[in-house]
Amino acid sequence: MSEPNQEIEFETHPDHYRHWRLEIEGATARLVWDVREDAPLRPGYVLKLNTYDLGVDIELADAVQRLRFEHPEVRAVAITSGKEKVFSAGANIHMLGSSSHSFKVNFCKFTNETRLAIEDACRNSGQRYLAACKGVTAGGGYELALACDEILLVDDGNSAVSLPEVPLLGVLPGTGGLTRIVDKRLVRRDLADVFCTLAEGVRGDRARRWRLVDHVAPRSRFQDLVDERLQALSQDLPRREGPGVNLLPLKAEIGSDRYAYRCLTVDLDRRERVATITLKGPEGPPPANAAALRAQGSDAYLFRIFRELDDAICRLRFNEEEIGLLLLKSAGDPEQVVAHDEALLSLAGEDWFAREILLSMARTLRRLDTTARSIFALVEPDSCFAGSLLEAALAADRTYALDDPERPLRMILSSVNLGACPMGHDLARLQVRLLHDVAAWDRLSGQVKAGEHPAFDAAGAVETGLVTIAADDIDYEDEVRVAIEERASLSPDALTGMEASLRFPGPENMETKVFGRLSAWQNWIFQRPNAVGEKGALKLYGRPERPSFDWRRT
Amino acid sequence: MSEPNQEIEFETHPDHYRHWRLEIEGATARLVWDVREDAPLRPGYVLKLNTYDLGVDIELADAVQRLRFEHPEVRAVAITSGKEKVFSAGANIHMLGSSSHSFKVNFCKFTNETRLAIEDACRNSGQRYLAACKGVTAGGGYELALACDEILLVDDGNSAVSLPEVPLLGVLPGTGGLTRIVDKRLVRRDLADVFCTLAEGVRGDRARRWRLVDHVAPRSRFQDLVDERLQALSQDLPRREGPGVNLLPLKAEIGSDRYAYRCLTVDLDRRERVATITLKGPEGPPPANAAALRAQGSDAYLFRIFRELDDAICRLRFNEEEIGLLLLKSAGDPEQVVAHDEALLSLAGEDWFAREILLSMARTLRRLDTTARSIFALVEPDSCFAGSLLEAALAADRTYALDDPERPLRMILSSVNLGACPMGHDLARLQVRLLHDVAAWDRLSGQVKAGEHPAFDAAGAVETGLVTIAADDIDYEDEVRVAIEERASLSPDALTGMEASLRFPGPENMETKVFGRLSAWQNWIFQRPNAVGEKGALKLYGRPERPSFDWRRT
């Protein structure tokens, strides 16, 4: 169970990619994966056959993000392999076999989020993806293809798509695979059952008939097919006028117990297992128009603070496994947050950059929703939990407010709270708080749509459901301290399961099924001796011994 | 990890209840739980404080079923406690702590199904349930209350509802609790978070304001409140004319490797880990009218075969843990099955007994859907997979057909296939097969609604998607044998997770969230050292030592 000893960094840049090449050709792009065998994220395994580890996926996530912002002219992206005989053999098994349970689980979560980011681009950013599969397209390799709009497969009697996890490894195709084949691609469930137990996968026209791929072509015609489909996919998409906006490095100061970003700080208390995230309100008014927003680029306040939050969440997930509780605080002028929100939203209708900022904020908030740490928000007199920053508080498991009549706090709604940054199941976080009181949701949305910004003091916030518990200045500190200590005493596993259940009331969709159903089963299996015991299938993969199973079904 | 050595029996009768009393008073009934401490299902624990084990729940399931059939005059049922100071302290922890993982998981599944049966009665059978909670109403005790239409709580400064699993045991309220509080009762999710970490629970009016209960009353007024609410709940419900229909014992012959019921047999091959379930078609025509159906009572063909199937599934789940594959076969006249289906459906509009039979069949089929064993259906020339029996085949993970031109097989649709026995997420099984081809679903439903009974031979069944793989008589046996052997070689855990994902494409609802999301997380937690390790919270419950946790969050 060797763990990475050094901090994992989530920022990268195409100039530093080791595993991917991003090739822009006018309105289309090629994202070529050509994994360097000798460049794993940590020593101990070799990345053969375009297998991937977290390092490979961090680069992919970066490329997808940069395509949206830095290359607005690109309307269709082909994911192709730089290796002759393999698209990808999936997640690296030796990496998985030598990783701790919590690393495995967080690795799967991150890769799922990357694939959802691709689907978000296809759906909302006018950038369509196709997977050009040649040779072995197995496991996580095929799961990446499943995240694309279209899957093309060489028909050469050899190239096959497969999900061999169940027969070969005794685990699930857990990067969305099981959910996407039946829920997204609508593969008939009995055919999916056959497919998921066929280690060698399915080839050629049969793969097309089973809906596992969209188009097949012989090797000689394949390049033409890819070009044709890229052209076809890029048709009828809205034009996004250039130039792009460069994503500049965040340049955070990562200290031993503090991450200092420009717009937020994270203070780590490892003894208490608590990280305090303090969001700073904007320092000035919002940009007056699209040109001004463009001039600010990746330093625009809302874009920057949510990029920083995204980076901080990823660091906490992987580098601080024992931090069990995130305390969300904020400091600044809530009216200014609302002003930035409304400026961004008013531009988002016309300006792709503003729209992309909003989509990016939404992805970060969804990453927060699925982060397996308890989250408490603390609302105090100098807080600025309004609009988009209030979304973070609404993602919390509970919220405490200091009710000091001398210094009344203010929580304010903006248009962002009406669903501009929806949860994975497409509901607004405020709507989820108000599932029991649809009339209140309708009333508040009506006010915001009419240009009002309902504001709440502590009592009003409790009454409306934005705050769980308010206490006066005599009790507040004790109340919060006791709550933190209690939380820190509970079983981390039970909290993970509880939070995964309580955070998502309401309908489910493919995204929430991936995190709530597929991942939960995978986590269970990742813990079972049949997979990870000394004679488990995952443990013995690649060795001559056969796995030995406990046959009791559950 | 002591296991029950003797076979668990699922048939019982009020005359033999040890833990419940069923008291009928005109249009209302009281279901009084008064658990006998000294009568656990297997030795080794004491059922204090109305804690329950599988034996208690088998009686509850029986009572709920008999209320529907034997007491049609009953329109409202109060679940009350026979003990003064406790409604129920939930599932018995010592039983859980001393059970194997697979027993725990199957115990939770069965109890979830019993609670869903109560909700099905409330929704579809005109029998409303209320829980009259006095004293401790904790964990599974409160989860049973959550399954009722209404929850009443004594307001005496002492009586409380609680879900103390997370703080006390390091596991989840896994009998639907987490899902029902936010999805059914619409408790605000941050309040639910507080509630689920409060070992002592919530009392009185606060419980009402948090939506945890519907009505509270002081002890002196409580009995009146129960009576009032029983009266109110039973208003405006359709009358179901008596007399009731007694559920006669199935009188199966349970041998060492064969269960022989009247309408089906189960043959156990423990070496291959396969159980072959052979459904026999009806021996005569269907009853001509409601009176004839009533005369047949619990021996009416469709009622009987599905009751037998239900019993067989429960036996296999608990008494045959290593059986990994159910092979579904059938033998008889498919036209006769269709005739029985149509007769039942045509009566169901008017006759409550016919309707109850259909609802009961639907529950059994849903029990099959959530059974964690692989299911293959085998369709052969003498098969009668038509209508309701076809539903069982459509629940299978895959279906093999013998395509013998000399003896062509016949699969026939009846009105039952249009959703009269829906899956947990309310879709018809045929509809799930045809998610990719809505036009085909529309066309077939249209034909059936027009009184036709589309029939398919092997080729047609493959074409339509009723059959996965058809083979001629030269290949069929080999094909099936190899498929069975392959299936039997795979990791049982991976299969459980895979089947739970592939069987339920499409939307989710509370029921599928309980089995797919909540249960999956609970199963994970039930496997984790933080719960079941030597220093785990579940293991140490009731002992002086404090649990010791691995703090890594996942």
Side-chain angles (χ1 to χ4, degrees):
Chain A
M1 295 288 183
S2 69
E3 279 304 87
N5 291 318
Q6 74 230 49
E7 295 265 310
I8 297 173
E9 296 289 333
F10 293 85
E11 283 192 273
T12 182
H13 185 277
D15 291 348
H16 308 128
Y17 289 174
R18 290 167 299 181
H19 307 296
W20 292 88
R21 292 193 307 276
L22 177 54
E23 300 171 353
I24 313 290
E25 300 151 10
T28 63
R30 273 160 219 272
L31 196 44
V32 184
W33 57 350
D34 196 356
V35 174
R36 266 183 55 186
E37 291 193 0
D38 60 348
L41 188 64
R42 56 186 163 82
Y45 53 88
V46 179
L47 295 173
K48 288 187 181 164
L49 298 173
N50 266 3
T51 54
Y52 62 87
D53 66 359
L54 181 63
V56 177
D57 216 71
I58 287 171
E59 292 182 5
L60 172 61
D62 182 75
V64 172
Q65 183 81 337
R66 286 183 196 276
L67 274 163
R68 313 171 87 120
F69 285 99
E70 300 187 351
H71 303 286
E73 74 282 9
V74 168
R75 286 179 286 169
V77 182
I79 300 183
T80 68
S81 168
K83 304 203 190 300
E84 185 55 28
K85 293 187 175 166
V86 62
F87 180 75
S88 165
N92 188 276
I93 306 309
H94 303 289
M95 177 277 294
L96 285 176
S98 62
S99 295
S100 71
H101 181 72
S102 61
F103 183 87
K104 271 202 288 283
V105 169
N106 275 297
F107 166 72
C108 291
K109 187 176 287 179
F110 186 89
T111 56
N112 271 319
E113 287 165 336
T114 304
R115 278 133 198 83
L116 288 165
I118 291 174
E119 288 173 332
D120 187 45
C122 294
R123 194 166 50 240
N124 297 314
S125 298
Q127 287 187 331
R128 316 289 290 274
Y129 280 70
L130 69 77
C133 304
K134 196 169 62 176
V136 175
T137 301
Y142 179 54
E143 289 178 301
L144 176 56
L146 286 169
C148 297
D149 273 306
E150 284 198 3
I151 306 175
L152 317 186
L153 178 64
V154 170
D155 187 3
D156 59 0
N158 195 27
S159 296
V161 295
S162 63
L163 290 176
E165 284 87 345
V166 171
L168 292 188
L169 306 170
V171 300
L172 302 184
T175 310
L178 291 180
T179 308
R180 283 198 177 83
I181 48 172
V182 290
D183 271 288
K184 179 181 181 181
R185 298 198 58 92
L186 304 179
V187 173
R188 230 173 62 205
R189 79 172 184 80
D190 57 327
L191 297 174
D193 181 89
V194 174
F195 174 62
C196 293
T197 57
L198 269 181
E200 69 274 23
V202 173
R203 291 186 300 269
D205 198 56
R206 191 185 191 201
R208 193 190 56 74
R209 280 184 285 111
W210 285 22
R211 308 176 64 90
L212 297 165
V213 307
D214 296 287
H215 303 280
V216 296
R219 204 162 262 262
S220 60
R221 269 260 311 135
F222 193 64
Q223 191 50 57
D224 290 345
L225 174 67
V226 173
D227 293 337
E228 270 167 42
R229 295 309 309 163
L230 272 177
Q231 288 306 316
L233 283 174
S234 63
Q235 294 304 307
D236 304 325
L237 290 175
R239 291 199 81 78
R240 307 195 305 159
E241 297 302 332
V245 175
N246 286 330
L247 303 181
L248 301 179
L250 296 175
K251 294 191 176 157
E253 289 168 29
I254 305 299
S256 64
D257 53 7
R258 184 181 175 93
Y259 310 158
Y261 298 89
R262 193 183 303 166
C263 304
L264 68 85
T265 54
V266 179
D267 290 286
L268 302 169
D269 182 340
R270 293 197 185 81
R271 204 176 56 82
E272 301 286 338
R273 299 192 301 279
V274 171
T276 303
I277 301 177
T278 307
L279 308 168
K280 295 180 207 161
E283 287 180 358
N289 51 42
L293 180 68
R294 196 67 52 102
Q296 294 180 348
S298 68
D299 280 337
Y301 169 75
L302 285 173
F303 193 18
R304 183 164 184 106
I305 190 170
F306 278 91
R307 280 178 76 211
E308 292 176 350
L309 182 59
D310 206 68
D311 190 69
I313 295 169
C314 290
R315 283 180 182 279
L316 288 166
R317 281 189 189 170
F318 284 95
N319 298 331
E320 300 293 338
E321 290 183 316
E322 292 202 355
I323 294 289
L325 175 61
L326 310 184
L327 279 188
L328 285 180
K329 297 186 172 192
S330 62
D333 178 356
E335 306 277 1
Q336 278 292 4
V337 178
V338 171
H340 277 255
D341 280 2
E342 298 299 349
L344 187 71
L345 269 175
S346 74
L347 294 175
E350 295 296 320
D351 183 62
W352 67 261
F353 177 50
R355 198 162 53 246
E356 283 300 334
I357 292 176
L358 205 57
L359 290 166
S360 170
M361 292 161 59
R363 290 193 297 281
T364 295
L365 284 162
R366 289 197 289 271
R367 212 195 278 280
L368 187 61
D369 291 329
T370 58
T371 293
R373 312 293 166 105
S374 299
I375 308 174
F376 289 179
L378 301 183
V379 191
E380 295 165 1
D382 61 344
S383 288
C384 55
F385 282 117
S388 49
L389 300 196
L390 175 59
E391 285 294 309
L394 290 171
D397 299 299
R398 49 173 101 158
T399 302
Y400 289 84
L402 169 54
D403 186 8
D404 180 350
E406 306 281 300
R407 302 179 302 149
L409 56 81
R410 274 165 69 74
M411 302 177 81
I412 313 179
L413 301 186
S414 82
S415 305
V416 168
N417 303 118
L418 302 194
C421 294
M423 294 180 69
H425 58 354
D426 285 329
L427 300 190
R429 286 174 192 78
L430 181 60
Q431 192 177 7
V432 168
R433 285 288 169 118
L434 298 172
L435 281 181
H436 62 287
D437 188 356
V438 176
W441 164 248
D442 288 343
R443 190 181 65 247
L444 292 171
S445 345
Q447 288 176 277
V448 174
K449 280 178 195 153
E452 297 170 41
H453 295 114
F456 306 90
D457 60 9
V462 168
E463 165 87 20
T464 309
L466 302 179
V467 159
T468 318
I469 292 161
D472 61 26
D473 53 353
I474 299 171
D475 293 331
Y476 177 75
E477 260 187 60
D478 270 357
E479 180 94 38
V480 171
R481 184 181 50 75
V482 168
I484 292 171
E485 285 172 9
E486 275 180 2
R487 196 70 163 199
S489 73
L490 301 177
S491 160
D493 306 327
L495 289 175
T496 291
M498 180 184 91
E499 290 155 5
S501 296
L502 297 182
R503 287 181 185 173
F504 293 92
E508 300 251 0
N509 60 14
M510 194 192 72
E511 178 166 337
T512 60
K513 283 168 92 165
V514 168
F515 289 116
R517 178 184 273 268
L518 178 55
S519 296
W521 285 108
Q522 180 76 310
N523 292 355
W524 175 66
I525 291 163
F526 271 162
Q527 192 70 17
R528 296 277 286 169
N530 284 342
V532 297
E534 283 311 307
K535 297 185 168 184
L538 187 63
K539 207 74 174 181
L540 292 183
Y541 181 70
R543 296 206 228 152
E545 304 100 297
R546 298 272 303 163
S548 159
F549 294 134
D550 174 346
W551 293 112
R552 285 177 292 177
R553 282 291 293 252
T554 48
Chain B
M1 294 291 181
S2 67
E3 280 305 87
N5 291 318
Q6 74 230 51
E7 295 264 310
I8 298 173
E9 296 290 333
F10 294 85
E11 283 192 272
T12 181
H13 185 278
D15 291 348
H16 308 128
Y17 290 174
R18 289 167 300 180
H19 307 295
W20 293 89
R21 293 194 304 275
L22 178 53
E23 300 171 352
I24 312 289
E25 302 151 10
T28 62
R30 275 162 217 270
L31 195 44
V32 184
W33 58 348
D34 195 356
V35 174
R36 263 183 59 186
E37 292 193 3
D38 60 347
L41 188 63
R42 58 187 161 80
Y45 52 88
V46 180
L47 294 174
K48 288 189 180 162
L49 297 172
N50 266 4
T51 54
Y52 61 89
D53 67 358
L54 181 64
V56 177
D57 217 70
I58 287 171
E59 293 181 6
L60 173 60
D62 183 76
V64 172
Q65 184 81 337
R66 287 185 195 275
L67 273 163
R68 312 172 88 121
F69 284 99
E70 300 187 352
H71 304 285
E73 73 283 10
V74 168
R75 286 179 287 168
V77 182
I79 300 184
T80 68
S81 169
K83 304 204 190 300
E84 184 56 28
K85 293 188 174 165
V86 62
F87 181 74
S88 164
N92 187 276
I93 307 308
H94 303 290
M95 175 278 293
L96 284 176
S98 62
S99 295
S100 71
H101 181 72
S102 61
F103 182 87
K104 272 201 288 285
V105 168
N106 275 299
F107 166 71
C108 291
K109 188 176 285 180
F110 186 89
T111 57
N112 271 319
E113 287 164 337
T114 305
R115 278 132 199 83
L116 287 165
I118 290 173
E119 287 173 333
D120 188 46
C122 294
R123 198 169 45 243
N124 297 314
S125 298
Q127 287 187 330
R128 317 288 290 276
Y129 280 70
L130 68 77
C133 304
K134 195 169 61 177
V136 175
T137 302
Y142 179 53
E143 289 177 301
L144 175 57
L146 286 169
C148 297
D149 273 307
E150 284 197 5
I151 306 176
L152 318 186
L153 178 65
V154 169
D155 187 3
D156 58 1
N158 194 27
S159 296
V161 295
S162 63
L163 291 176
E165 285 86 346
V166 170
L168 292 187
L169 307 171
V171 302
L172 300 184
T175 310
L178 291 180
T179 307
R180 282 198 177 84
I181 48 171
V182 291
D183 273 287
K184 179 180 181 181
R185 297 197 58 92
L186 304 179
V187 173
R188 229 173 62 207
R189 80 173 181 81
D190 56 327
L191 297 174
D193 181 272
V194 173
F195 175 62
C196 294
T197 57
L198 270 181
E200 69 273 25
V202 173
R203 293 187 297 269
D205 198 56
R206 192 185 192 200
R208 193 191 54 75
R209 281 183 286 111
W210 285 20
R211 307 176 64 88
L212 298 165
V213 307
D214 297 287
H215 303 279
V216 298
R219 202 162 265 261
S220 60
R221 269 260 310 135
F222 193 65
Q223 191 51 55
D224 289 344
L225 174 66
V226 172
D227 292 337
E228 271 166 42
R229 295 310 309 163
L230 273 177
Q231 288 307 316
L233 283 174
S234 64
Q235 294 305 306
D236 304 324
L237 290 175
R239 290 200 81 80
R240 307 194 307 158
E241 298 302 332
V245 175
N246 286 330
L247 304 182
L248 302 179
L250 295 175
K251 294 191 176 157
E253 290 169 27
I254 305 299
S256 65
D257 53 6
R258 185 179 174 94
Y259 310 158
Y261 298 89
R262 191 181 306 162
C263 303
L264 67 87
T265 54
V266 180
D267 289 286
L268 302 168
D269 182 340
R270 295 197 184 81
R271 204 176 56 83
E272 300 287 338
R273 300 191 300 279
V274 172
T276 302
I277 301 176
T278 306
L279 309 168
K280 294 181 208 161
E283 287 179 359
N289 52 41
L293 179 68
R294 196 67 52 103
Q296 294 181 346
S298 68
D299 280 337
Y301 169 75
L302 286 173
F303 193 20
R304 182 164 187 107
I305 188 170
F306 278 91
R307 279 178 76 211
E308 292 176 349
L309 181 59
D310 206 68
D311 190 69
I313 295 169
C314 290
R315 284 181 182 279
L316 288 165
R317 282 189 187 170
F318 283 95
N319 298 331
E320 299 294 337
E321 291 184 317
E322 291 202 354
I323 293 288
L325 176 61
L326 311 184
L327 279 188
L328 285 181
K329 296 186 174 193
S330 63
D333 178 354
E335 307 278 2
Q336 277 293 5
V337 179
V338 171
H340 277 255
D341 280 1
E342 298 300 348
L344 187 71
L345 268 174
S346 75
L347 294 175
E350 296 295 321
D351 183 61
W352 67 261
F353 178 50
R355 197 163 53 247
E356 283 301 333
I357 292 176
L358 203 57
L359 290 166
S360 171
M361 292 161 61
R363 289 193 298 280
T364 295
L365 285 162
R366 288 199 288 271
R367 214 196 277 279
L368 187 61
D369 291 330
T370 57
T371 293
R373 312 293 167 104
S374 299
I375 309 172
F376 289 177
L378 301 183
V379 190
E380 295 166 1
D382 61 345
S383 289
C384 55
F385 282 117
S388 50
L389 300 197
L390 175 59
E391 285 294 310
L394 289 171
D397 298 299
R398 49 173 101 159
T399 302
Y400 289 83
L402 169 54
D403 186 9
D404 180 350
E406 307 280 300
R407 300 181 303 149
L409 55 83
R410 275 165 68 72
M411 301 177 84
I412 312 179
L413 301 186
S414 82
S415 305
V416 169
N417 303 117
L418 302 193
C421 294
M423 295 181 68
H425 58 355
D426 286 328
L427 299 190
R429 286 174 193 77
L430 181 59
Q431 192 177 7
V432 168
R433 285 288 168 118
L434 296 174
L435 281 181
H436 63 287
D437 190 356
V438 177
W441 164 247
D442 288 344
R443 189 182 65 248
L444 291 170
S445 345
Q447 287 176 277
V448 175
K449 280 178 196 156
E452 296 171 42
H453 296 114
F456 306 90
D457 62 8
V462 168
E463 166 87 20
T464 309
L466 303 179
V467 158
T468 318
I469 292 161
D472 62 25
D473 54 352
I474 299 170
D475 294 329
Y476 177 75
E477 261 188 56
D478 270 358
E479 181 93 40
V480 170
R481 185 182 48 76
V482 168
I484 292 171
E485 284 172 11
E486 277 180 1
R487 196 68 165 201
S489 73
L490 300 177
S491 159
D493 306 327
L495 289 175
T496 291
M498 181 183 91
E499 290 154 8
S501 296
L502 298 181
R503 287 180 184 173
F504 293 92
E508 301 250 359
N509 59 14
M510 194 192 71
E511 177 165 339
T512 61
K513 283 169 92 166
V514 168
F515 289 116
R517 179 183 272 267
L518 178 55
S519 297
W521 285 109
Q522 180 77 306
N523 292 356
W524 175 68
I525 291 163
F526 271 162
Q527 193 69 18
R528 298 275 287 166
N530 284 342
V532 297
E534 283 310 308
K535 298 185 166 183
L538 187 63
K539 206 75 174 182
L540 291 184
Y541 181 71
R543 294 206 230 153
E545 303 100 295
R546 297 272 302 163
S548 159
F549 293 133
D550 174 348
W551 293 112
R552 284 177 293 177
R553 282 291 292 253
T554 48

